[in-house]
mmCIF file of all heavy atoms in Angstrom:
data_model
loop_
_atom_site.group_PDB
_atom_site.id
_atom_site.type_symbol
_atom_site.label_atom_id
_atom_site.label_comp_id
_atom_site.label_asym_id
_atom_site.label_seq_id
_atom_site.Cartn_x
_atom_site.Cartn_y
_atom_site.Cartn_z
ATOM 1 N N LEU Z 1 -2.977 -32.067 4.437
ATOM 2 C CA LEU Z 1 -2.139 -33.219 4.130
ATOM 3 C C LEU Z 1 -0.970 -32.773 3.268
ATOM 4 O O LEU Z 1 -1.157 -32.152 2.229
ATOM 5 C CB LEU Z 1 -2.961 -34.281 3.392
ATOM 6 C CG LEU Z 1 -2.239 -35.559 3.000
ATOM 7 C CD1 LEU Z 1 -1.806 -36.325 4.238
ATOM 8 C CD2 LEU Z 1 -3.132 -36.411 2.129
ATOM 9 N N THR Z 2 0.255 -33.070 3.719
ATOM 10 C CA THR Z 2 1.432 -32.640 2.964
ATOM 11 C C THR Z 2 2.222 -33.805 2.383
ATOM 12 O O THR Z 2 2.963 -33.621 1.426
ATOM 13 C CB THR Z 2 2.374 -31.799 3.842
ATOM 14 O OG1 THR Z 2 2.765 -32.565 4.976
ATOM 15 C CG2 THR Z 2 1.690 -30.515 4.297
ATOM 16 N N ASN Z 3 2.098 -35.009 2.973
ATOM 17 C CA ASN Z 3 2.842 -36.159 2.469
ATOM 18 C C ASN Z 3 2.126 -37.437 2.881
ATOM 19 O O ASN Z 3 1.532 -37.509 3.945
ATOM 20 C CB ASN Z 3 4.267 -36.155 3.036
ATOM 21 C CG ASN Z 3 5.134 -37.202 2.389
ATOM 22 O OD1 ASN Z 3 4.891 -37.619 1.270
ATOM 23 N ND2 ASN Z 3 6.153 -37.645 3.107
ATOM 24 N N GLN Z 4 2.226 -38.470 2.020
ATOM 25 C CA GLN Z 4 1.581 -39.748 2.310
ATOM 26 C C GLN Z 4 2.445 -40.862 1.743
ATOM 27 O O GLN Z 4 2.854 -40.805 0.583
ATOM 28 C CB GLN Z 4 0.197 -39.762 1.666
ATOM 29 C CG GLN Z 4 -0.579 -41.024 1.873
ATOM 30 C CD GLN Z 4 -1.986 -40.914 1.332
ATOM 31 O OE1 GLN Z 4 -2.632 -39.879 1.456
ATOM 32 N NE2 GLN Z 4 -2.474 -41.969 0.729
ATOM 33 N N THR Z 5 2.734 -41.890 2.564
ATOM 34 C CA THR Z 5 3.568 -43.008 2.136
ATOM 35 C C THR Z 5 2.888 -44.317 2.523
ATOM 36 O O THR Z 5 2.531 -44.510 3.691
ATOM 37 C CB THR Z 5 4.951 -42.949 2.826
ATOM 38 O OG1 THR Z 5 5.525 -41.681 2.594
ATOM 39 C CG2 THR Z 5 5.864 -44.029 2.295
ATOM 40 N N GLU Z 6 2.719 -45.210 1.551
ATOM 41 C CA GLU Z 6 2.111 -46.507 1.832
ATOM 42 C C GLU Z 6 3.176 -47.507 2.234
ATOM 43 O O GLU Z 6 4.295 -47.492 1.721
ATOM 44 C CB GLU Z 6 1.342 -47.009 0.618
ATOM 45 C CG GLU Z 6 0.100 -46.187 0.345
ATOM 46 C CD GLU Z 6 -0.859 -46.870 -0.604
ATOM 47 O OE1 GLU Z 6 -0.862 -48.116 -0.668
ATOM 48 O OE2 GLU Z 6 -1.603 -46.151 -1.274
ATOM 49 N N SER Z 7 2.815 -48.387 3.167
ATOM 50 C CA SER Z 7 3.733 -49.427 3.630
ATOM 51 C C SER Z 7 2.904 -50.563 4.213
ATOM 52 O O SER Z 7 1.700 -50.637 3.988
ATOM 53 C CB SER Z 7 4.695 -48.853 4.687
ATOM 54 O OG SER Z 7 3.962 -48.402 5.809
ATOM 55 N N THR Z 8 3.548 -51.451 4.955
ATOM 56 C CA THR Z 8 2.841 -52.516 5.647
ATOM 57 C C THR Z 8 3.257 -52.518 7.111
ATOM 58 O O THR Z 8 4.299 -51.978 7.481
ATOM 59 C CB THR Z 8 3.142 -53.899 5.038
ATOM 60 O OG1 THR Z 8 4.544 -54.133 5.095
ATOM 61 C CG2 THR Z 8 2.653 -53.986 3.600
ATOM 62 N N PHE Z 9 2.422 -53.128 7.948
ATOM 63 C CA PHE Z 9 2.700 -53.278 9.368
ATOM 64 C C PHE Z 9 2.487 -54.740 9.709
ATOM 65 O O PHE Z 9 1.456 -55.321 9.377
ATOM 66 C CB PHE Z 9 1.762 -52.386 10.193
ATOM 67 C CG PHE Z 9 2.023 -52.454 11.669
ATOM 68 C CD1 PHE Z 9 3.060 -51.724 12.226
ATOM 69 C CD2 PHE Z 9 1.244 -53.252 12.499
ATOM 70 C CE1 PHE Z 9 3.318 -51.782 13.583
ATOM 71 C CE2 PHE Z 9 1.492 -53.314 13.858
ATOM 72 C CZ PHE Z 9 2.532 -52.579 14.407
ATOM 73 N N LEU Z 10 3.466 -55.361 10.350
ATOM 74 C CA LEU Z 10 3.392 -56.775 10.683
ATOM 75 C C LEU Z 10 2.752 -56.945 12.058
ATOM 76 O O LEU Z 10 3.277 -56.457 13.062
ATOM 77 C CB LEU Z 10 4.798 -57.387 10.669
ATOM 78 C CG LEU Z 10 4.881 -58.895 10.804
ATOM 79 C CD1 LEU Z 10 4.180 -59.561 9.618
ATOM 80 C CD2 LEU Z 10 6.334 -59.332 10.876
ATOM 81 N N TYR Z 11 1.613 -57.633 12.094
ATOM 82 C CA TYR Z 11 0.915 -57.912 13.351
ATOM 83 C C TYR Z 11 0.593 -59.393 13.400
ATOM 84 O O TYR Z 11 -0.169 -59.901 12.575
ATOM 85 C CB TYR Z 11 -0.374 -57.088 13.453
ATOM 86 C CG TYR Z 11 -1.153 -57.366 14.718
ATOM 87 C CD1 TYR Z 11 -0.720 -56.875 15.941
ATOM 88 C CD2 TYR Z 11 -2.306 -58.138 14.688
ATOM 89 C CE1 TYR Z 11 -1.415 -57.135 17.106
ATOM 90 C CE2 TYR Z 11 -3.018 -58.399 15.847
ATOM 91 C CZ TYR Z 11 -2.574 -57.904 17.051
ATOM 92 O OH TYR Z 11 -3.265 -58.175 18.201
ATOM 93 N N ARG Z 12 1.230 -60.093 14.344
ATOM 94 C CA ARG Z 12 1.036 -61.535 14.532
ATOM 95 C C ARG Z 12 1.217 -62.317 13.231
ATOM 96 O O ARG Z 12 0.409 -63.164 12.873
ATOM 97 C CB ARG Z 12 -0.316 -61.822 15.144
ATOM 98 C CG ARG Z 12 -0.439 -61.296 16.548
ATOM 99 C CD ARG Z 12 -1.691 -61.788 17.202
ATOM 100 N NE ARG Z 12 -1.714 -61.358 18.589
ATOM 101 C CZ ARG Z 12 -2.646 -61.713 19.447
ATOM 102 N NH1 ARG Z 12 -3.626 -62.475 19.063
ATOM 103 N NH2 ARG Z 12 -2.584 -61.280 20.685
ATOM 104 N N GLY Z 13 2.259 -61.981 12.507
ATOM 105 C CA GLY Z 13 2.586 -62.689 11.280
ATOM 106 C C GLY Z 13 1.784 -62.270 10.057
ATOM 107 O O GLY Z 13 1.997 -62.787 8.970
ATOM 108 N N GLU Z 14 0.868 -61.344 10.221
ATOM 109 C CA GLU Z 14 0.039 -60.879 9.105
ATOM 110 C C GLU Z 14 0.472 -59.478 8.684
ATOM 111 O O GLU Z 14 0.658 -58.591 9.507
ATOM 112 C CB GLU Z 14 -1.430 -60.850 9.534
ATOM 113 C CG GLU Z 14 -2.369 -60.493 8.414
ATOM 114 C CD GLU Z 14 -3.834 -60.524 8.861
ATOM 115 O OE1 GLU Z 14 -4.116 -60.956 9.985
ATOM 116 O OE2 GLU Z 14 -4.670 -60.091 8.058
ATOM 117 N N GLN Z 15 0.649 -59.296 7.387
ATOM 118 C CA GLN Z 15 1.024 -57.987 6.856
ATOM 119 C C GLN Z 15 -0.240 -57.170 6.636
ATOM 120 O O GLN Z 15 -1.117 -57.550 5.871
ATOM 121 C CB GLN Z 15 1.761 -58.142 5.520
ATOM 122 C CG GLN Z 15 3.059 -58.877 5.651
ATOM 123 C CD GLN Z 15 4.233 -58.025 5.246
ATOM 124 O OE1 GLN Z 15 4.087 -56.979 4.661
ATOM 125 N NE2 GLN Z 15 5.415 -58.495 5.569
ATOM 126 N N LEU Z 16 -0.323 -56.045 7.342
ATOM 127 C CA LEU Z 16 -1.473 -55.160 7.237
ATOM 128 C C LEU Z 16 -1.096 -53.906 6.462
ATOM 129 O O LEU Z 16 0.022 -53.407 6.591
ATOM 130 C CB LEU Z 16 -1.953 -54.766 8.637
ATOM 131 C CG LEU Z 16 -2.295 -55.914 9.583
ATOM 132 C CD1 LEU Z 16 -2.579 -55.386 10.974
ATOM 133 C CD2 LEU Z 16 -3.476 -56.703 9.056
ATOM 134 N N ARG Z 17 -2.021 -53.390 5.674
ATOM 135 C CA ARG Z 17 -1.780 -52.162 4.915
ATOM 136 C C ARG Z 17 -1.677 -50.989 5.878
ATOM 137 O O ARG Z 17 -2.514 -50.813 6.772
ATOM 138 C CB ARG Z 17 -2.915 -51.926 3.929
ATOM 139 C CG ARG Z 17 -2.731 -50.693 3.076
ATOM 140 C CD ARG Z 17 -3.898 -50.522 2.103
ATOM 141 N NE ARG Z 17 -3.736 -49.319 1.342
ATOM 142 C CZ ARG Z 17 -4.232 -48.136 1.705
ATOM 143 N NH1 ARG Z 17 -4.920 -48.019 2.804
ATOM 144 N NH2 ARG Z 17 -4.033 -47.072 0.951
ATOM 145 N N ALA Z 18 -0.644 -50.192 5.695
ATOM 146 C CA ALA Z 18 -0.436 -49.019 6.542
ATOM 147 C C ALA Z 18 -0.136 -47.810 5.660
ATOM 148 O O ALA Z 18 0.485 -47.936 4.608
ATOM 149 C CB ALA Z 18 0.711 -49.248 7.514
ATOM 150 N N VAL Z 19 -0.579 -46.660 6.116
ATOM 151 C CA VAL Z 19 -0.289 -45.404 5.430
ATOM 152 C C VAL Z 19 0.257 -44.438 6.477
ATOM 153 O O VAL Z 19 -0.378 -44.202 7.500
ATOM 154 C CB VAL Z 19 -1.544 -44.808 4.757
ATOM 155 C CG1 VAL Z 19 -1.220 -43.472 4.108
ATOM 156 C CG2 VAL Z 19 -2.135 -45.770 3.750
ATOM 157 N N THR Z 20 1.451 -43.936 6.227
ATOM 158 C CA THR Z 20 2.022 -42.910 7.089
ATOM 159 C C THR Z 20 1.834 -41.585 6.382
ATOM 160 O O THR Z 20 2.168 -41.458 5.206
ATOM 161 C CB THR Z 20 3.515 -43.171 7.348
ATOM 162 O OG1 THR Z 20 3.649 -44.460 7.944
ATOM 163 C CG2 THR Z 20 4.110 -42.118 8.259
ATOM 164 N N TYR Z 21 1.285 -40.631 7.093
ATOM 165 C CA TYR Z 21 1.051 -39.343 6.462
ATOM 166 C C TYR Z 21 1.466 -38.207 7.382
ATOM 167 O O TYR Z 21 1.500 -38.346 8.598
ATOM 168 C CB TYR Z 21 -0.391 -39.190 5.991
ATOM 169 C CG TYR Z 21 -1.448 -39.447 7.032
ATOM 170 C CD1 TYR Z 21 -2.009 -38.402 7.746
ATOM 171 C CD2 TYR Z 21 -1.906 -40.734 7.290
ATOM 172 C CE1 TYR Z 21 -2.988 -38.628 8.687
ATOM 173 C CE2 TYR Z 21 -2.883 -40.967 8.232
ATOM 174 C CZ TYR Z 21 -3.415 -39.911 8.926
ATOM 175 O OH TYR Z 21 -4.386 -40.143 9.875
ATOM 176 N N THR Z 22 1.812 -37.116 6.739
ATOM 177 C CA THR Z 22 2.184 -35.902 7.446
ATOM 178 C C THR Z 22 1.127 -34.850 7.154
ATOM 179 O O THR Z 22 0.777 -34.638 6.002
ATOM 180 C CB THR Z 22 3.559 -35.389 6.984
ATOM 181 O OG1 THR Z 22 4.519 -36.430 7.143
ATOM 182 C CG2 THR Z 22 3.994 -34.173 7.777
ATOM 183 N N VAL Z 23 0.631 -34.246 8.215
ATOM 184 C CA VAL Z 23 -0.341 -33.166 8.071
ATOM 185 C C VAL Z 23 0.212 -31.923 8.748
ATOM 186 O O VAL Z 23 1.038 -32.011 9.649
ATOM 187 C CB VAL Z 23 -1.721 -33.532 8.678
ATOM 188 C CG1 VAL Z 23 -2.374 -34.660 7.923
ATOM 189 C CG2 VAL Z 23 -1.604 -33.859 10.149
ATOM 190 N N GLN Z 24 -0.226 -30.788 8.280
ATOM 191 C CA GLN Z 24 0.101 -29.518 8.916
ATOM 192 C C GLN Z 24 -1.083 -29.152 9.808
ATOM 193 O O GLN Z 24 -2.185 -28.945 9.318
ATOM 194 C CB GLN Z 24 0.317 -28.414 7.871
ATOM 195 C CG GLN Z 24 1.566 -28.562 7.067
ATOM 196 C CD GLN Z 24 2.814 -28.186 7.841
ATOM 197 O OE1 GLN Z 24 2.759 -27.447 8.813
ATOM 198 N NE2 GLN Z 24 3.939 -28.704 7.408
ATOM 199 N N ARG Z 25 -0.869 -29.109 11.108
ATOM 200 C CA ARG Z 25 -1.906 -28.698 12.050
ATOM 201 C C ARG Z 25 -1.479 -27.385 12.675
ATOM 202 O O ARG Z 25 -0.484 -27.333 13.394
ATOM 203 C CB ARG Z 25 -2.103 -29.733 13.151
ATOM 204 C CG ARG Z 25 -2.863 -30.932 12.717
ATOM 205 C CD ARG Z 25 -3.233 -31.788 13.893
ATOM 206 N NE ARG Z 25 -3.892 -32.996 13.438
ATOM 207 C CZ ARG Z 25 -4.001 -34.081 14.156
ATOM 208 N NH1 ARG Z 25 -3.496 -34.126 15.372
ATOM 209 N NH2 ARG Z 25 -4.615 -35.130 13.675
ATOM 210 N N ASN Z 26 -2.227 -26.358 12.364
ATOM 211 C CA ASN Z 26 -1.919 -25.026 12.882
ATOM 212 C C ASN Z 26 -0.472 -24.638 12.611
ATOM 213 O O ASN Z 26 0.220 -24.096 13.461
ATOM 214 C CB ASN Z 26 -2.239 -24.940 14.374
ATOM 215 C CG ASN Z 26 -3.701 -25.203 14.662
ATOM 216 O OD1 ASN Z 26 -4.561 -24.786 13.894
ATOM 217 N ND2 ASN Z 26 -3.984 -25.892 15.732
ATOM 218 N N GLY Z 27 0.004 -24.987 11.423
ATOM 219 C CA GLY Z 27 1.345 -24.610 11.001
ATOM 220 C C GLY Z 27 2.445 -25.550 11.443
ATOM 221 O O GLY Z 27 3.603 -25.358 11.088
ATOM 222 N N GLN Z 28 2.129 -26.595 12.207
ATOM 223 C CA GLN Z 28 3.134 -27.530 12.699
ATOM 224 C C GLN Z 28 2.962 -28.883 12.008
ATOM 225 O O GLN Z 28 1.851 -29.399 11.912
ATOM 226 C CB GLN Z 28 2.996 -27.729 14.218
ATOM 227 C CG GLN Z 28 3.163 -26.469 15.020
ATOM 228 C CD GLN Z 28 4.565 -25.903 14.910
ATOM 229 O OE1 GLN Z 28 5.540 -26.646 14.901
ATOM 230 N NE2 GLN Z 28 4.664 -24.601 14.795
ATOM 231 N N PRO Z 29 4.055 -29.507 11.540
ATOM 232 C CA PRO Z 29 3.937 -30.832 10.916
ATOM 233 C C PRO Z 29 3.711 -31.917 11.965
ATOM 234 O O PRO Z 29 4.358 -31.930 13.013
ATOM 235 C CB PRO Z 29 5.276 -31.021 10.213
ATOM 236 C CG PRO Z 29 6.219 -30.161 10.970
ATOM 237 C CD PRO Z 29 5.420 -29.009 11.493
ATOM 238 N N VAL Z 30 2.759 -32.808 11.696
ATOM 239 C CA VAL Z 30 2.445 -33.923 12.587
ATOM 240 C C VAL Z 30 2.414 -35.186 11.742
ATOM 241 O O VAL Z 30 1.752 -35.220 10.699
ATOM 242 C CB VAL Z 30 1.078 -33.714 13.278
ATOM 243 C CG1 VAL Z 30 0.716 -34.908 14.142
ATOM 244 C CG2 VAL Z 30 1.067 -32.441 14.079
ATOM 245 N N GLN Z 31 3.128 -36.239 12.166
ATOM 246 C CA GLN Z 31 3.113 -37.501 11.446
ATOM 247 C C GLN Z 31 2.214 -38.500 12.155
ATOM 248 O O GLN Z 31 2.243 -38.612 13.381
ATOM 249 C CB GLN Z 31 4.513 -38.084 11.338
ATOM 250 C CG GLN Z 31 5.373 -37.395 10.310
ATOM 251 C CD GLN Z 31 6.615 -38.211 10.016
ATOM 252 O OE1 GLN Z 31 7.195 -38.821 10.896
ATOM 253 N NE2 GLN Z 31 7.000 -38.222 8.764
ATOM 254 N N LEU Z 32 1.420 -39.229 11.378
ATOM 255 C CA LEU Z 32 0.510 -40.238 11.888
ATOM 256 C C LEU Z 32 0.589 -41.471 11.010
ATOM 257 O O LEU Z 32 0.902 -41.388 9.827
ATOM 258 C CB LEU Z 32 -0.925 -39.718 11.890
ATOM 259 C CG LEU Z 32 -1.191 -38.472 12.716
ATOM 260 C CD1 LEU Z 32 -2.558 -37.907 12.390
ATOM 261 C CD2 LEU Z 32 -1.089 -38.787 14.192
ATOM 262 N N ARG Z 33 0.301 -42.627 11.597
ATOM 263 C CA ARG Z 33 0.242 -43.878 10.838
ATOM 264 C C ARG Z 33 -1.164 -44.434 10.975
ATOM 265 O O ARG Z 33 -1.698 -44.537 12.068
ATOM 266 C CB ARG Z 33 1.241 -44.890 11.387
ATOM 267 C CG ARG Z 33 1.228 -46.208 10.624
ATOM 268 C CD ARG Z 33 1.983 -47.309 11.324
ATOM 269 N NE ARG Z 33 3.395 -47.021 11.441
ATOM 270 C CZ ARG Z 33 4.251 -47.789 12.121
ATOM 271 N NH1 ARG Z 33 3.827 -48.873 12.733
ATOM 272 N NH2 ARG Z 33 5.516 -47.466 12.188
ATOM 273 N N ASN Z 34 -1.766 -44.788 9.860
ATOM 274 C CA ASN Z 34 -3.088 -45.390 9.840
ATOM 275 C C ASN Z 34 -2.924 -46.822 9.357
ATOM 276 O O ASN Z 34 -2.400 -47.051 8.273
ATOM 277 C CB ASN Z 34 -4.023 -44.608 8.922
ATOM 278 C CG ASN Z 34 -5.430 -45.121 9.013
ATOM 279 O OD1 ASN Z 34 -5.751 -46.116 8.398
ATOM 280 N ND2 ASN Z 34 -6.249 -44.442 9.776
ATOM 281 N N ILE Z 35 -3.365 -47.783 10.183
ATOM 282 C CA ILE Z 35 -3.232 -49.201 9.841
ATOM 283 C C ILE Z 35 -4.610 -49.780 9.616
ATOM 284 O O ILE Z 35 -5.502 -49.646 10.459
ATOM 285 C CB ILE Z 35 -2.503 -49.970 10.963
ATOM 286 C CG1 ILE Z 35 -1.115 -49.368 11.188
ATOM 287 C CG2 ILE Z 35 -2.396 -51.447 10.610
ATOM 288 C CD1 ILE Z 35 -0.381 -49.924 12.376
ATOM 289 N N ASN Z 36 -4.785 -50.440 8.468
ATOM 290 C CA ASN Z 36 -6.065 -51.031 8.101
ATOM 291 C C ASN Z 36 -6.119 -52.461 8.628
ATOM 292 O O ASN Z 36 -5.401 -53.333 8.163
ATOM 293 C CB ASN Z 36 -6.227 -51.008 6.580
ATOM 294 C CG ASN Z 36 -7.602 -51.427 6.152
ATOM 295 O OD1 ASN Z 36 -8.455 -51.704 6.981
ATOM 296 N ND2 ASN Z 36 -7.821 -51.480 4.862
ATOM 297 N N VAL Z 37 -6.966 -52.668 9.655
ATOM 298 C CA VAL Z 37 -7.183 -53.990 10.245
ATOM 299 C C VAL Z 37 -8.643 -54.312 9.992
ATOM 300 O O VAL Z 37 -9.494 -54.032 10.810
ATOM 301 C CB VAL Z 37 -6.908 -53.979 11.768
ATOM 302 C CG1 VAL Z 37 -6.958 -55.395 12.331
ATOM 303 C CG2 VAL Z 37 -5.595 -53.311 12.086
ATOM 304 N N ARG Z 38 -8.936 -54.842 8.843
ATOM 305 C CA ARG Z 38 -10.333 -55.024 8.448
ATOM 306 C C ARG Z 38 -11.130 -55.679 9.542
ATOM 307 O O ARG Z 38 -10.664 -56.644 10.122
ATOM 308 C CB ARG Z 38 -10.407 -55.838 7.162
ATOM 309 C CG ARG Z 38 -9.869 -55.050 6.009
ATOM 310 C CD ARG Z 38 -10.082 -55.776 4.713
ATOM 311 N NE ARG Z 38 -9.525 -54.964 3.647
ATOM 312 C CZ ARG Z 38 -9.002 -55.439 2.562
ATOM 313 N NH1 ARG Z 38 -8.965 -56.734 2.362
ATOM 314 N NH2 ARG Z 38 -8.533 -54.642 1.655
ATOM 315 N N PRO Z 39 -12.278 -55.176 9.887
ATOM 316 C CA PRO Z 39 -13.088 -54.153 9.229
ATOM 317 C C PRO Z 39 -12.907 -52.759 9.818
ATOM 318 O O PRO Z 39 -13.780 -51.917 9.700
ATOM 319 C CB PRO Z 39 -14.508 -54.641 9.474
ATOM 320 C CG PRO Z 39 -14.428 -55.236 10.847
ATOM 321 C CD PRO Z 39 -13.046 -55.864 10.919
ATOM 322 N N PHE Z 40 -11.800 -52.493 10.487
ATOM 323 C CA PHE Z 40 -11.585 -51.179 11.080
ATOM 324 C C PHE Z 40 -10.155 -50.735 10.820
ATOM 325 O O PHE Z 40 -9.351 -51.481 10.268
ATOM 326 C CB PHE Z 40 -11.876 -51.200 12.596
ATOM 327 C CG PHE Z 40 -10.980 -52.141 13.359
ATOM 328 C CD1 PHE Z 40 -9.780 -51.703 13.886
ATOM 329 C CD2 PHE Z 40 -11.334 -53.462 13.541
ATOM 330 C CE1 PHE Z 40 -8.949 -52.559 14.586
ATOM 331 C CE2 PHE Z 40 -10.503 -54.333 14.236
ATOM 332 C CZ PHE Z 40 -9.323 -53.873 14.759
ATOM 333 N N SER Z 41 -9.851 -49.519 11.209
ATOM 334 C CA SER Z 41 -8.473 -49.029 11.113
ATOM 335 C C SER Z 41 -8.144 -48.275 12.388
ATOM 336 O O SER Z 41 -9.030 -47.788 13.086
ATOM 337 C CB SER Z 41 -8.279 -48.142 9.884
ATOM 338 O OG SER Z 41 -9.054 -46.983 9.995
ATOM 339 N N ILE Z 42 -6.856 -48.207 12.691
ATOM 340 C CA ILE Z 42 -6.414 -47.480 13.874
ATOM 341 C C ILE Z 42 -5.377 -46.445 13.438
ATOM 342 O O ILE Z 42 -4.728 -46.600 12.407
ATOM 343 C CB ILE Z 42 -5.829 -48.416 14.957
ATOM 344 C CG1 ILE Z 42 -4.627 -49.238 14.438
ATOM 345 C CG2 ILE Z 42 -6.881 -49.358 15.479
ATOM 346 C CD1 ILE Z 42 -3.343 -48.789 15.010
ATOM 347 N N THR Z 43 -5.232 -45.418 14.229
ATOM 348 C CA THR Z 43 -4.227 -44.385 13.985
ATOM 349 C C THR Z 43 -3.278 -44.378 15.174
ATOM 350 O O THR Z 43 -3.720 -44.393 16.325
ATOM 351 C CB THR Z 43 -4.888 -43.011 13.814
ATOM 352 O OG1 THR Z 43 -5.804 -43.077 12.718
ATOM 353 C CG2 THR Z 43 -3.852 -41.938 13.526
ATOM 354 N N CYS Z 44 -1.987 -44.366 14.867
ATOM 355 C CA CYS Z 44 -0.986 -44.411 15.924
ATOM 356 C C CYS Z 44 0.279 -43.691 15.460
ATOM 357 O O CYS Z 44 0.343 -43.174 14.353
ATOM 358 C CB CYS Z 44 -0.672 -45.857 16.293
ATOM 359 S SG CYS Z 44 -0.098 -46.860 14.902
ATOM 360 N N SER Z 45 1.288 -43.716 16.322
ATOM 361 C CA SER Z 45 2.560 -43.072 16.012
ATOM 362 C C SER Z 45 3.323 -43.871 14.961
ATOM 363 O O SER Z 45 3.419 -45.093 15.063
ATOM 364 C CB SER Z 45 3.405 -42.973 17.280
ATOM 365 O OG SER Z 45 4.719 -42.597 16.965
ATOM 366 N N PRO Z 46 3.900 -43.217 13.967
ATOM 367 C CA PRO Z 46 4.668 -43.941 12.954
ATOM 368 C C PRO Z 46 6.007 -44.451 13.480
ATOM 369 O O PRO Z 46 6.659 -45.257 12.831
ATOM 370 C CB PRO Z 46 4.864 -42.916 11.842
ATOM 371 C CG PRO Z 46 4.745 -41.605 12.515
ATOM 372 C CD PRO Z 46 3.800 -41.800 13.667
#
C-alpha cells in the first residue's frame, strides 16, 4: 500500500464511504476504490 484517500460515493441518493488506494503490485502502481455498502463492500475502478 503506497497511498490511501477517503471520500464518498453517491449511490441512489445515499452517500457511501469510499476509500481509494494505490498499491504496488510487482513493481507497478495499481489504483482501486473500495466502497462500503453495509453489510458488505465492493472493489472497483476509481
